[in-house]
Amino acid sequence: MKLRVKGLGLLLLVLLALCSTIDVCDARRGKHWRPRNSPSSSMLRKKGKGKKGSSNRQHGGNRPSPKPPVSPPLSPGAGKGYPNPSPSPSPNAPVSPSPTNGSGQASPKLPTPPSCGKGNQPPSRPTPTPAQGAVFNVVDFGAKGDGMSDDTKAFEAAWAAACKQGASTVLVPSELEFLVGPISFSGPYCKPNILFQLEGTIVAPTSAKAWGSGLLQWIEFTKLNGITIQGNGMINGRGQQWWTYSDTDDNEDDDTQYDVEFERMPQVKPTALRFYGSFNVLVAGITIVNSSQCHLKFDSCQGVMVHDVTISSPENSLNTDGIHLQNSKDVSIHHTNMACGDDCVSIQTGCSNINIHNVNCGPGHGISIGGLGRDNTKACVSNVTVRDVNMFRTMTGVRIKTWQGGLGLVQDVRFSNIQVSEVQTPIIIDQFYCDKRTCSNQTSAVAVSGIQYENIRGTFTIKPVHFACSDNSPCSGITLTGVQLRPVQIPHYHLNDPFCWQAFGELYTPTIPPIACLHLGKPAGNNLQSYHDLC
């Protein structure tokens, strides 16, 4: 019996030892029994916790994250040109400007919440769209932004850094005013796709010394591919220095208070913002005011878009065109407000595929093609559409103007849905344009053909229509549909009837007032030359 009791006790001890190797918690949770010599699930969690991206793989790593409602904050070093550590966006992802705080500095990066471990981790936050490459804040390059210190060199340094980096941003922060002299942000060795984020104000110098003997432009971007200027900031040309300039031959001005500094200003006046020889240009959101001459110019550019831009200067500021196009193709201008002392939009030679719509113009001289052919030169413009435009108290509405003696052709132009209010002369073709006191008569002219006027409506104060075409090269293919223009009597203005000379085309609907002077059909001889022949 004693031996049996001892044997039974030993058996009980062996069974107790075996039971101690079983995970009671796992058994209670209904999990499969596992021997202790195999790593437990808790050990696997501890080892996996330190691996980067493990939580993404375990929580919907294959599902795309929802797009955040706002752009991400900049990384702490972004203002000094350090690359953003966030992953690069996909090629099709839109790039948004990085937000800044009230002082124009980059907002601090939000801390990442600590991991809660497997099974307790909250849903992953949306992956933000990173800023475009590196961000170069002009303040970090020495700009003062006090409106008095010369910040030109700081802007040049920030641009040079962005130029080398490519796909980067030059930031002009908000709530600061930067005095910048004549400057050129130039290629062609800059890497493409640079964003110039304008949130503050850039002002031009007012001393004659800054301009030397005269410059054609103040701020210039040349030979670039993929250049964008956008933001809520302003470019202020402070052109009053030139508007008040008095001609030395004018003896009528005896004002003893005349500012000597004004008298020293060069007679060559600079354009405020010019793009030359560039591709894929975007200007959006900014305001340009008080340029000494043209506010915004595109010369020899292709693929241009301008939208949500405001341009403003006084009505009596001479030669202050809003937007000037020359030798440029594939241009779109829309949702833009312009008030100036000259043409709201001026389209010069070498332009084609121009689309202007949803624009407000006034005061100013309207939207013009030309003057073309000056000094007996060849000028060619084709495929222009101007539609859905409001004009208020402008000198002209939609106009084509050419000098005598020129060569070339204006062809395939459509003016549609133009609303005019108290415009002196809403519709003009003038092949005898002259901005001098006298111009010599010449037989050759830039030809004008295929011009459509659709739904031009509103009020005029001098003359509804003026078609003055060349005897040697009559205007042809003029069509009018839905033209309704009614007079408004303005003191000191004399109302005139429609005028036509050597103008040929069709009246598709009755017009108000009747335009009986238009010759129906084609010019005699029908020897019209094509765009290919003339250009």
Side-chain angles (χ1 to χ4, degrees):
M1 286 294 294
K2 290 183 178 180
L3 289 174
R4 285 183 180 180
V5 171
K6 287 183 179 181
L8 187 59
L10 288 173
L11 181 60
L12 289 172
L13 288 174
V14 171
L15 289 173
L16 287 173
L18 289 173
C19 288
S20 64
T21 62
I22 298 175
D23 191 331
V24 177
C25 293
D26 286 347
R28 287 179 180 173
R29 292 170 188 166
K31 294 189 178 181
H32 295 292
W33 173 84
R34 293 177 183 173
R36 281 293 186 183
N37 58 2
S38 180
S40 67
S41 60
S42 61
M43 288 297 292
L44 288 174
R45 287 196 297 269
K46 289 180 181 179
K47 289 183 180 180
K49 185 177 178 180
K51 292 182 180 180
K52 294 181 181 179
S54 61
S55 60
N56 289 336
R57 287 193 300 270
Q58 296 171 17
H59 289 274
N62 294 326
R63 297 193 303 268
S65 300
K67 186 177 180 180
V70 296
S71 302
L74 298 175
S75 58
K80 297 183 180 180
Y82 299 119
N84 195 316
S86 303
S88 300
S90 64
N92 297 324
V95 178
S96 302
S98 301
T100 57
N101 58 27
S103 63
Q105 302 296 323
S107 302
K109 190 171 183 179
L110 296 174
T112 302
S115 174
C116 298
K118 181 181 177 181
N120 297 320
Q121 189 165 339
S124 58
R125 296 168 64 98
T127 303
T129 303
Q132 177 169 346
V135 178
F136 301 91
N137 190 328
V138 295
V139 172
D140 293 323
F141 289 84
K144 302 297 183 185
D146 57 12
M148 297 178 290
S149 303
D150 188 350
D151 291 327
T152 308
K153 291 191 179 300
F155 274 66
E156 290 174 340
W159 174 260
C163 191
K164 294 176 183 178
Q165 183 82 16
S168 54
T169 299
V170 174
L171 175 63
V172 181
S174 62
E175 300 183 8
L176 296 174
E177 185 175 274
F178 301 90
L179 174 63
V180 177
I183 189 169
S184 179
F185 301 108
S186 61
Y189 303 108
C190 278
K191 293 187 177 180
N193 303 324
I194 296 178
L195 169 63
F196 195 96
Q197 188 71 29
L198 178 60
E199 299 297 337
T201 299
I202 302 175
V203 297
T206 56
S207 65
K209 183 179 179 181
W211 302 102
S213 60
L215 296 171
L216 295 175
Q217 52 272 330
W218 168 33
I219 300 171
E220 182 182 39
F221 290 82
T222 68
K223 299 181 180 178
L224 299 166
N225 185 6
I227 175 67
T228 296
I229 296 183
Q230 68 177 26
N232 299 305
M234 177 184 292
I235 294 174
N236 187 347
R238 299 205 280 192
Q240 298 89 334
Q241 301 289 56
W242 279 273
W243 305 335
T244 54
Y245 186 92
S246 176
D247 192 331
T248 54
D249 294 332
D250 185 0
N251 295 322
E252 296 179 1
D253 188 359
D254 293 326
D255 187 359
T256 56
Q257 301 298 319
Y258 187 76
D259 194 326
V260 176
E261 189 66 34
F262 288 1
E263 191 173 359
R264 294 199 194 114
M265 297 300 283
Q267 294 192 35
V268 177
K269 301 186 293 185
T271 290
L273 177 60
R274 179 192 186 225
F275 293 85
Y276 172 75
S278 296
F279 297 87
N280 302 320
V281 181
L282 171 63
V283 180
I286 68 172
T287 298
I288 309 174
V289 300
N290 298 334
S291 177
S292 61
Q293 197 172 41
C294 178
H295 288 80
L296 176 59
K297 180 182 288 187
F298 299 93
D299 190 354
S300 302
C301 294
Q302 185 168 359
V304 174
M305 179 174 287
V306 178
H307 68 84
D308 297 288
V309 168
T310 299
I311 293 174
S312 178
S313 65
E315 184 177 4
N316 61 354
S317 56
L318 297 177
N319 305 122
T320 54
D321 292 51
I323 300 175
H324 183 97
L325 305 176
Q326 185 169 330
N327 295 315
S328 294
K329 301 176 181 179
D330 305 324
V331 177
S332 176
I333 301 169
H334 63 91
H335 294 92
T336 289
N337 300 316
M338 288 170 279
C340 54
D342 210 304
D343 296 328
C344 289
V345 181
S346 171
I347 303 170
Q348 299 297 323
T349 185
C351 290
S352 62
N353 300 333
I354 311 298
N355 189 2
I356 301 168
H357 64 93
N358 297 98
V359 163
N360 295 318
C361 170
H365 292 183
I367 295 177
S368 297
I369 297 175
L372 303 174
R374 185 170 187 167
D375 298 327
N376 306 109
T377 57
K378 178 188 285 189
C380 299
V381 174
S382 66
N383 195 15
V384 176
T385 297
V386 179
R387 62 177 176 85
D388 303 314
V389 171
N390 295 315
M391 296 190 181
F392 178 70
R393 290 185 178 176
T394 56
M395 187 179 78
T396 66
V398 288
R399 173 170 59 162
I400 299 173
K401 51 183 179 178
T402 70
W403 293 76
Q404 294 184 74
L407 301 170
L409 177 63
V410 177
Q411 188 179 59
D412 296 334
V413 178
R414 177 176 173 240
F415 299 113
S416 178
N417 297 331
I418 312 295
Q419 184 69 38
V420 296
S421 178
E422 298 182 25
V423 171
Q424 291 181 25
T425 308
I427 297 175
I428 292 182
I429 297 177
D430 185 5
Q431 287 186 295
F432 300 91
Y433 177 72
C434 176
D435 64 357
K436 306 173 184 177
R437 291 182 180 178
T438 58
C439 291
S440 59
N441 290 325
Q442 301 184 56
T443 56
S444 64
V446 176
V448 177
S449 176
I451 314 300
Q452 303 175 52
Y453 298 94
E454 303 170 353
N455 300 324
I456 316 296
R457 300 178 180 181
T459 58
F460 68 93
T461 60
I462 293 181
K463 187 187 302 182
V465 174
H466 181 89
F467 292 143
C469 301
S470 166
D471 290 319
N472 224 36
S473 182
C475 301
S476 64
I478 297 173
T479 62
L480 295 101
T481 306
V483 173
Q484 299 181 14
L485 299 169
R486 292 176 169 83
V488 172
Q489 186 67 57
I490 301 292
H492 311 298
Y493 281 36
H494 177 70
L495 290 171
N496 295 276
D497 293 329
F499 173 83
C500 307
W501 182 262
Q502 294 296 326
F504 293 80
E506 300 290 341
L507 293 172
Y508 288 139
T509 63
T511 62
I512 301 175
I515 306 176
C517 59
L518 180 70
H519 296 295
L520 300 182
K522 298 179 181 180
N526 195 24
N527 57 348
L528 300 176
Q529 293 180 286
S530 68
Y531 190 86
H532 177 75
D533 295 331
L534 294 174
C535 294

